[in-house]
Amino acid sequence: MTVALLLMAAYVLDRMVGDPRSLPHPVVLMGKAITALERLIRRFVRQPRSLKRAGVLLPLLVAGGSWLLTAALLWLLSGISPWLALAAEAWLISTTIAAKGLKDAGMAVYVELRKGDLPAARQALGMIVGRDTASLDSPEIVRGTVETVAENIVDAIISPLFYALLGGAPLAMAYRAVNTLDSMVGYKNDKYRDLGWASARLDDVANYIPARMTALLLTLCAGLLRLDWRRCWRTVRRDARLHPSPNSGYPESAVAGALGIRLGGVNIYHGVASFRAYMGDPLRSLEPEDIIITSRMMLLSSSMFVVLCAALAFIGTGG
């Protein structure tokens, strides 16, 4: 019962408040710790083979440390007041979720597109993607936004809630540390190929089950929102595995199938073209309203997952 209430409280807190800049955010601290550890490792380790070994150390220290510090904090607070510990745990779990932030980021792009201000829309998209946005037209801006919102349904909502269900705030915080590591050092380039390989692999493993659960949830959402849920599921089965990521293709292909659009194609990163496998069929051109529909699918699927997690937690504790 306590776990069920914690998950619902954390989700509602994120939907209402999000991540206020006035409050310290654990991910910022994780980022600083990762940067400091990377500098320390590179100071003493230079050989590729040794960097690969050190790469295993990064997630152990950062994810393990995040779990340990969170568990220790909650233990200390429980000694003061059990209610204080519960409130802190709900807040900590909420910091691992970003439903409100994801919606707001998508809407920031949508508003500029509706105004016809392409430079502002490109700038808004550039805040949430790594690709070059300076020369994108409206359909490509929509594609980038839809892909980002869809992909982050897993990373920013479903996965942290999944691990919070299994292990409370400590495990949710450990997952967020793994995800932060992947975003900072998990690149497959010359700089991070050796040091970041373990972080990238661990993130793939951590998101494996949540990504596939997300595809199922989005298929259900497609039906509830009167979209084409059959095409949604067919597209997942056909296209999800074509994505270079073992997990991102599941939410992206689900959204593409439900909306009857095609995602993927050529992206430019620091002036270098990179082709991503196509997801879905181009039954129509991309429109700004696709951002709205994707956000609705994101919010509905996350709400459904919270209810499912709460029900499982309630049943697991014997009601």
Side-chain angles (χ1 to χ4, degrees), residues 37-255:
L37 282 171
E38 181 186 351
R39 287 175 180 169
L40 184 63
I41 289 172
R42 291 189 184 278
R43 182 180 300 176
F44 296 101
V45 182
R46 299 186 184 277
Q47 296 300 320
R49 182 175 296 179
S50 298
L51 276 175
K52 278 196 170 185
R53 293 170 183 167
V56 178
L57 189 64
L58 263 180
L60 287 176
L61 289 175
V62 179
S66 297
W67 184 93
L68 185 61
L69 287 173
T70 305
L73 175 63
L74 294 176
W75 179 77
L76 289 172
L77 292 177
S78 66
I80 300 172
S81 167
W83 293 107
L84 180 61
L86 287 172
E89 185 162 17
W91 175 74
L92 287 169
I93 294 173
S94 76
T95 65
T96 68
I97 308 167
K100 183 178 186 299
L102 195 54
K103 177 190 174 185
D104 291 347
M107 287 303 300
V109 179
Y110 172 79
V111 168
E112 301 302 339
L113 284 174
R114 293 300 299 171
K115 290 193 299 186
D117 192 340
L118 284 183
R122 292 168 184 149
Q123 184 176 10
L125 176 61
M127 299 293 291
I128 57 174
V129 299
R131 71 191 69 174
D132 298 344
T133 63
S135 60
L136 298 182
D137 59 13
S138 180
E140 283 296 294
I141 294 172
V142 172
R143 177 171 75 87
T145 308
V146 169
E147 288 174 352
T148 299
V149 173
E151 177 182 357
N152 281 284
I153 296 173
V154 178
D155 294 359
I157 307 171
I158 304 300
S159 285
L161 285 170
F162 176 76
Y163 288 105
L165 172 66
L166 296 180
L171 194 57
M173 203 62 68
Y175 165 77
R176 179 52 62 204
V178 169
N179 190 244
T180 305
L181 275 163
D182 181 60
S183 67
M184 292 182 67
V185 303
Y187 297 102
K188 295 179 180 178
N189 55 27
D190 291 338
K191 183 177 180 180
Y192 290 115
R193 184 173 290 110
D194 297 316
L195 184 62
W197 74 273
S199 297
R201 295 296 180 273
L202 185 57
D203 184 74
D204 289 342
V205 172
N207 286 311
Y208 187 87
I209 294 175
R212 286 145 183 82
M213 295 175 70
T214 300
L216 289 171
L217 288 167
L218 289 172
T219 302
L220 291 173
C221 289
L224 293 173
L225 294 174
R226 297 186 178 181
L227 302 171
D228 194 330
W229 68 268
R230 291 182 179 85
R231 186 175 60 224
C232 173
W233 184 242
R234 285 198 305 269
T235 305
V236 169
R237 295 183 63 187
R238 186 191 69 189
D239 296 342
R241 296 181 183 180
L242 301 177
H243 199 283
S245 163
N247 301 311
S248 298
Y250 285 84
E252 288 188 27
S253 60
V255 169

